[in-house]
């Protein structure tokens, strides 16, 4: 009786080089930042046709050495990367685990070879239903959104299916990062007056973000602001 081999893992990440594919010595579910072994696009194990390989190579080389100076250009490049990663995952099937590194947010998500969706974990099809009641809340080292069954989650979490604009996603990430920075600053200087001023500014931004979220997701869902 033959055993089914464990799937191989790779990360699709543009670095300005000919191949955006990387693997790791440990083929398990490890940190994608540690996937440092380049995998050639013409590796026989991939069986990648010429045209898809050329598209991946062109996309990878288009990433500037110092990164994109323009945010819209970075978003455009990242969106193209998602499409190429989805196509690659579909081609490779279950024999490979494909993750896509989103340079616009420095996050990595698994690309389902069957449905093409991007997920935070390998087995995400059993996630709770899409959230209907969402809370925008700033908390140290947490994502900016809350919902029953999801706890804290990212604004572009595919399982939540919010379909937010790139601008709102970016602003929610930035707000969450600034909440962390404010707490780190308070831990450093213990200046309550300055901390109060920072929190008031963050609170105002949070309320504005909650209102923008409410407008974008429509009347079928509710949005509550939970403070900082």
């Amino acid at each position: 009786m033959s055993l089914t081999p464990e799937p191989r893992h790779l990360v699709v990440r543009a670095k300005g080089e000919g191949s955006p594919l990387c693997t790791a010595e440990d083929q398990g579910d490890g940190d994608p930042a540690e996937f440092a072994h380049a995998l050639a696009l013409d590796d026989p194990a991939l069986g990648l046709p010429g045209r898809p390989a050329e598209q991946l190579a062109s996309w990878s080389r288009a990433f500037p050495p110092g990164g994109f100076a323009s945010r819209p250009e970075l978003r455009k490049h990242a969106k193209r990367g998602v499409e190429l990663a989805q196509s690659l995952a579909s081609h490779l099937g279950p024999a490979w685990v494909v993750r896509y590194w989103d340079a616009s947010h420095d996050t990595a998500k698994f690309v389902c070879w069957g449905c093409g969706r991007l997920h935070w974990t390998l087995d995400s099809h059993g996630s709770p239903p899409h959230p209907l009641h969402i809370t925008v809340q700033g908390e140290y080292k947490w994502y900016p959104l809350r919902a029953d069954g999801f706890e804290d989650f990212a604004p572009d979490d595919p399982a939540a299916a919010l379909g937010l604009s790139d601008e709102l996603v970016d602003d929610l990430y930035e707000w969450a990062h600034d909440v962390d920075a404010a707490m780190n600053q308070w831990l450093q200087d213990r200046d309550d007056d300055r901390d109060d001023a920072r929190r008031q500014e963050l609170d105002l931004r949070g309320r504005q973000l909650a209102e923008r979220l409410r407008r974008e997701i429509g009347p079928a869902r509710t949005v509550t602001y939970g403070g900082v």
Side-chain angles (χ1 to χ4, degrees):
M1 181 177 67
S2 61
L3 297 177
T4 303
E6 290 293 322
R8 297 181 62 183
H9 290 241
L10 63 82
V11 171
V12 180
R13 182 178 185 181
K15 295 183 178 180
E17 302 169 352
S19 174
L21 308 184
C22 297
T23 62
E25 292 182 358
D26 179 7
Q27 287 295 307
D29 180 13
D31 183 354
E34 297 177 359
F35 281 51
H37 298 278
L39 182 64
L41 291 168
D42 60 356
D43 190 301
L46 297 173
L48 200 58
R51 179 61 176 165
E54 292 171 3
Q55 291 175 332
L56 282 164
S58 176
W59 173 76
S60 181
R61 294 192 184 99
F63 195 88
F68 286 96
S70 167
R71 191 74 185 175
E73 290 181 356
L74 175 58
R75 288 176 183 154
K76 181 179 180 181
H77 187 269
K79 283 187 175 181
R80 178 58 176 158
V82 170
E83 296 170 355
L84 293 173
Q86 289 170 324
S87 178
L88 176 65
S90 177
H91 165 76
L92 294 176
W96 292 79
V97 174
V98 177
R99 267 184 279 186
Y100 171 66
W101 186 283
D102 183 350
S104 64
H105 298 125
D106 281 337
T107 58
K109 296 173 186 170
F110 293 92
V111 187
C112 178
W113 66 269
C115 69
R117 292 179 61 189
L118 277 65
H119 301 283
W120 290 107
T121 62
L122 263 175
D123 186 14
S124 294
H125 286 284
S127 298
H130 303 322
L132 295 177
H133 308 290
I134 302 167
T135 299
V136 178
Q137 184 172 337
E139 191 169 351
Y140 187 55
K141 296 296 184 182
W142 283 48
Y143 285 121
L145 303 180
R146 311 282 186 276
D148 290 343
F150 278 74
E151 297 184 347
D152 68 310
F153 65 97
D156 57 347
D157 187 334
L162 297 182
L164 303 180
S165 65
D166 290 336
E167 290 78 12
L168 182 52
V169 169
D170 288 346
D171 289 345
L172 283 164
Y173 267 112
E174 183 178 6
W175 182 67
H177 292 159
D178 289 347
V179 169
D180 293 346
M183 174 58 75
N184 289 332
Q185 188 64 47
W186 181 81
L187 291 171
Q188 178 178 322
D189 57 33
R190 301 289 178 167
D191 189 323
D192 290 336
D193 290 338
R194 291 184 178 180
D195 186 59
D196 286 343
R198 287 191 292 265
R199 285 180 174 274
Q200 289 177 16
E201 188 270 340
L202 288 168
D203 183 69
L204 176 60
R205 287 169 56 193
R207 293 179 186 278
Q208 294 171 341
L209 288 167
E211 181 57 34
R212 289 171 58 190
L213 177 62
R214 185 179 295 110
R215 291 197 301 265
E216 286 205 11
I217 64 176
R221 311 193 207 201
T222 63
V223 177
T224 302
Y225 177 60
V228 178

